[in-house]
Amino acid sequence: MRSHYCGQVNESLIGQEVTLCGWVNRRRDLGGVIFLDLRDREGIIQVVYDPDIEDVFALANTLRNEFCVKVTGIVRARPEGQVNKDMATGGVELLGKQLEILNASAPLPLDFNQHNSEEQRLRYRYLDLRRPEMNEKMVFRAKVTSEVRRFMDEAGFLDVETPILTAATPEGARDYLVPSRTHKGKFFALPQSPQLFKQLLMMSGVDRYYQIVKCFRDEDLRADRQPEFTQIDIETSFMSADEVMGVTEQMIRQLFQKLLDVDLGDFPRMSYEEAMRRFGSDKPDLRIPLELVDVAEQVKSVDFKVFSGPANDPKGRVAAIKVPGGADKFSRKQIDELGKFVGIYGAKGLAWMKINDRAAGLEGVQSPVAKFFSAEVMEALLEQVGAETGDILFFGADSKHVVTEAMGALRIKLGEELGLVADEWRPLWVVDFPMFEESDGRPQALHHPFTAPSNATPEELEADPFTALSDAYDMVLNGCEVGGGSVRIFDQKMQATVFRILGISDEEAKEKFGFLLEALQYGAPPHAGLAFGLDRLVMLMCGADTIRDVMAFPKTTTAACPLTDAPGMANPEQLAELQIAITAEPKAAEEKAAE
């Protein structure tokens, strides 16, 4: 139907006749001449209709926004002084000779020139996606997946599909269950990730696998979470952690170079312990220059139990954040608001000190808690944090977990509110994660139960699980974890040990992972892998606020689809066939769940 896309018409086509198809982005009638901005996937071009061809001009006069049309005309240069340098097609226009209305549009439920609510945008997503900014994101996402496939194919990875209907496995979130009609009373689960299947592929000799795959997790949602999301899933045989990090880092650097013309450079590495100590997060945003500084040694002897208690407790922590030049930027009311903010993370309050005169030591410090300090202790504290005149210090004192989480969140908040976030890309590898974390007094896998420990025998691991480190690695970019992976356990004895530490009995392990344990008996190779969150990666590269803006048909924060009204009720015949009964009326069940 068409000879060119709107956004591809340029000066090289001047004098030629072209046929375009698309939507009317805007129509203007200026003194008897009608101007159309015609839009398609590739961009917008200006089309001009004058009264010389009466029937075509009359038809053009009936057009409204979002009419779907086909136009034929002659490409010509725009008159001098009317060139639009902000448009790719701004140097030319189309003198319309023919016009066909392919489909008229009813009055629009969305306002294309103003902000619509997200609920409206998702309800009419097919219209929302026509907007140039949304269309550009979809085009960009397609370019990302294309580049990923090209890189992986050239690196010798095989694109292998894994099942969507599978068995439920514990991977940290609730499974979405699918009832089986042919196996009454039994259920499939939608995969939270292809973890076990990609390990089996390594045991099958595939050697290098990748897949751009849907994953499903029934968990609470936020800006960067969805019940269904897309992973770039990668697994390799006979490759070390360093080699996996090397090839995936190369892929990300190539993506940024080709699509954004950005050189990310070599990615630095940081241990989990250092990241938590300095930044209060295992995905630190290195664009923010603020850091947490431990001051427990300096305040152990102060007559202020809020500080001295945690400082003398092996499970406690006292940490400070110095805001250079911040003494005159915070009123008492603003400081109180920051205290309420850290309370969200379990902190009982937020102590502070304004350094009005560093040379004066204790006398130059303004703070409600300064009276508890001797001159010597205050001097040691100020020296530890590197305080200068005009700075403000914020303190967290509590358990290690509370202080680390609260002060890490405060660091981000201060960085954003004070405009300290540098306009740059700061990638990072976080490594040397703990193998286990404590949950209700019991060990719990920090990543998943198939992650291998770093240089530990099964006996050493079982003897002291909480000091063991895992051979795991996360790629972090500007404070977001974009990918994570590990070397996998490929030894049956080590896998049994990890299950035992996690309290998984032999019977439970056989029931849930029997096929994997069986495969480990038959010459399983050393293997390692990594998975990237495609939606999150594209969100960052596009500068979008949420992953919903880079997904064609996302769900709301309540995991619903306004467009299709999903989830919906199943009819009685379907339920009867599946031998499923609903035990409460939907509204009553929702009200009970909300209590």
Side-chain angles (χ1 to χ4, degrees):
M1 293 180 70
R2 61 186 166 200
S3 61
H4 297 79
Y5 281 102
C6 296
Q8 295 174 348
V9 178
N10 54 38
E11 286 82 351
S12 68
L13 297 174
I14 289 176
Q16 296 185 32
E17 181 179 277
V18 300
T19 298
L20 311 175
C21 294
W23 290 269
V24 176
N25 194 62
R26 186 169 60 150
R27 172 189 166 279
R28 293 160 290 157
D29 188 343
L30 302 179
V33 178
I34 295 175
F35 291 86
L36 303 179
D37 287 343
L38 189 65
R39 184 191 73 243
D40 64 15
R41 191 189 75 184
E42 297 298 321
I44 297 176
I45 188 171
Q46 179 172 280
V47 183
V48 182
Y49 285 100
D50 60 39
D52 291 352
I53 309 175
E54 293 184 6
D55 57 337
V56 174
F57 185 82
L59 188 60
N61 200 38
T62 68
L63 298 178
R64 297 293 181 268
N65 286 4
E66 298 309 305
F67 273 42
C68 185
V69 299
K70 174 183 175 183
V71 304
T72 298
I74 305 299
V75 180
R76 67 183 186 185
R78 286 200 186 190
E80 189 175 347
Q82 295 184 21
V83 172
N84 187 342
K85 295 181 179 180
D86 295 329
M87 292 176 60
T89 62
V92 296
E93 62 187 13
L94 191 67
L95 178 60
K97 297 298 183 181
Q98 299 175 36
L99 172 64
E100 179 182 353
I101 298 177
L102 300 174
N103 215 331
S105 173
L108 297 173
L110 294 183
D111 186 339
F112 275 42
N113 298 314
Q114 296 184 21
H115 293 294
N116 301 282
S117 70
E118 188 172 59
E119 187 78 14
Q120 287 176 296
R121 291 176 56 203
L122 295 182
R123 168 67 180 83
Y124 300 100
R125 190 62 161 183
Y126 46 86
L127 293 178
D128 186 50
L129 290 174
R130 288 187 197 171
R131 296 189 300 122
E133 54 266 43
M134 289 302 298
N135 174 70
E136 288 169 8
K137 291 181 175 70
M138 294 300 105
V139 171
F140 186 84
R141 180 180 175 123
K143 290 179 179 178
V144 170
T145 57
S146 178
E147 286 296 333
V148 167
R149 292 187 188 282
R150 184 177 296 110
F151 179 91
M152 299 307 289
D153 291 344
E154 291 175 356
F157 286 79
L158 301 181
D159 184 354
V160 183
E161 292 183 351
T162 53
I164 293 297
L165 295 176
T166 182
T169 55
E171 294 190 41
R174 299 182 190 90
D175 288 309
Y176 278 101
L177 298 179
V178 180
S180 170
R181 178 184 59 81
T182 54
H183 300 275
K184 305 297 185 184
K186 293 187 176 182
F187 295 82
F188 294 104
L190 302 183
Q192 294 185 35
S193 80
Q195 181 63 47
L196 299 183
F197 285 105
K198 64 186 182 183
Q199 289 190 246
L200 290 173
L201 286 171
M202 295 306 100
M203 299 170 196
S204 305
V206 169
D207 192 74
R208 290 190 174 198
Y209 141 93
Y210 85 97
Q211 186 183 186
I212 298 178
V213 59
K214 282 289 186 186
C215 301
F216 308 87
R217 294 179 185 174
D218 186 5
E219 58 188 350
D220 295 333
L221 307 182
R222 59 188 184 204
D224 58 351
R225 283 185 180 175
Q226 280 280 290
E228 53 180 320
F229 57 96
T230 306
Q231 277 187 186
I232 305 170
D233 206 48
I234 300 168
E235 196 77 8
T236 68
S237 294
F238 309 110
M239 288 181 71
S240 66
D242 286 341
E243 290 171 320
V244 172
M245 285 190 278
V247 72
T248 52
E249 178 179 321
Q250 183 185 355
M251 182 185 78
I252 296 300
R253 289 177 60 182
Q254 185 169 306
L255 268 180
F256 273 74
Q257 189 71 63
K258 287 192 173 184
L259 299 183
L260 297 180
D261 194 25
V262 169
D263 183 0
L264 292 176
D266 293 330
F267 293 15
R269 296 187 185 186
M270 181 182 295
S271 71
Y272 172 88
E273 184 278 329
E274 181 182 354
M276 299 300 284
R277 173 172 50 83
R278 294 175 57 192
F279 305 105
S281 172
D282 60 357
K283 47 182 182 296
D285 191 340
L286 300 185
R287 298 173 301 167
I288 299 173
L290 308 177
E291 293 191 20
L292 281 63
V293 179
D294 285 306
V295 295
E297 287 299 320
Q298 287 71 32
V299 300
K300 278 185 174 181
S301 63
V302 298
D303 189 21
F304 183 49
K305 290 185 178 179
V306 171
F307 279 9
S308 60
N312 288 282
D313 184 349
K315 294 185 178 181
R317 184 180 187 188
V318 185
I321 294 177
K322 179 187 73 173
V323 181
D328 60 352
K329 295 180 180 178
F330 295 92
S331 66
R332 185 58 187 269
K333 181 180 179 182
Q334 289 173 313
I335 293 174
D336 289 343
E337 288 299 317
L338 293 177
K340 293 178 182 177
F341 172 77
V342 296
I344 297 171
Y345 301 91
K348 299 179 182 68
L350 183 68
W352 57 274
M353 294 180 181
K354 291 186 177 182
I355 315 304
N356 296 327
D357 185 355
R358 175 66 179 88
L362 178 61
E363 297 301 316
V365 175
Q366 175 190 350
S367 171
V369 303
K371 60 187 178 183
F372 298 106
F373 285 73
S374 67
E376 293 77 15
V377 171
M378 180 61 76
E379 180 61 32
L381 174 66
L382 298 181
E383 182 70 23
Q384 173 70 2
V385 300
E388 300 289 345
T389 298
D391 295 347
I392 188 170
L393 311 179
F394 293 106
F395 297 87
D398 208 306
S399 68
K400 287 181 181 178
H401 173 75
V402 169
V403 170
T404 300
E405 189 172 6
M407 296 299 280
L410 178 64
R411 172 182 175 269
I412 299 296
K413 183 177 179 65
L414 291 172
E416 292 175 346
E417 293 188 353
L418 296 174
L420 301 177
V421 183
D423 185 16
E424 59 186 355
W425 294 101
R426 294 294 302 273
L428 174 73
W429 284 109
V430 177
V431 298
D432 297 333
F433 286 85
M435 185 77 177
F436 302 100
E437 60 184 348
E438 188 175 335
S439 177
D440 297 327
R442 295 181 57 185
Q444 178 177 303
L446 190 68
H447 282 89
H448 55 65
F450 315 108
T451 299
S454 297
N455 300 321
T457 65
E459 292 77 17
E460 291 169 338
L461 188 66
E462 195 156 20
D464 195 3
F466 287 116
T467 62
L469 298 180
S470 66
D471 207 352
Y473 33 84
D474 281 358
M475 183 186 289
V476 177
L477 183 60
N478 291 3
C480 287
E481 178 197 331
V482 294
S486 67
V487 173
R488 321 303 187 188
I489 297 171
F490 69 100
D491 174 74
Q492 194 176 28
K493 183 178 179 182
M494 179 65 79
Q495 188 64 75
T497 300
V498 170
F499 283 157
R500 191 161 52 249
I501 292 171
L502 294 173
I504 300 174
S505 67
D506 292 344
E507 294 75 17
E508 184 181 1
K510 185 175 181 180
E511 178 186 351
K512 294 180 176 178
F513 313 111
F515 56 92
L516 178 70
L517 298 176
E518 185 178 61
L520 289 174
Q521 301 178 75
Y522 302 110
H527 54 287
L530 184 146
F532 289 100
L534 174 65
D535 313 293
R536 191 176 299 175
L537 181 62
V538 175
M539 176 187 76
L540 287 172
M541 296 180 76
C542 284
D545 294 325
T546 79
I547 61 172
R548 294 189 292 278
D549 275 348
V550 297
M551 303 173 77
F553 299 103
K555 306 292 188 294
T556 65
T557 53
T558 59
C561 176
L563 176 65
T564 62
D565 282 333
M569 298 296 294
N571 64 51
E573 291 77 13
Q574 288 176 306
L575 294 176
E577 190 173 31
L578 294 168
Q579 294 187 353
I580 291 176
I582 296 177
T583 59
E585 289 296 321
K587 286 186 178 180
E590 290 173 9
E591 290 170 359
K592 186 175 180 180
E595 291 177 357

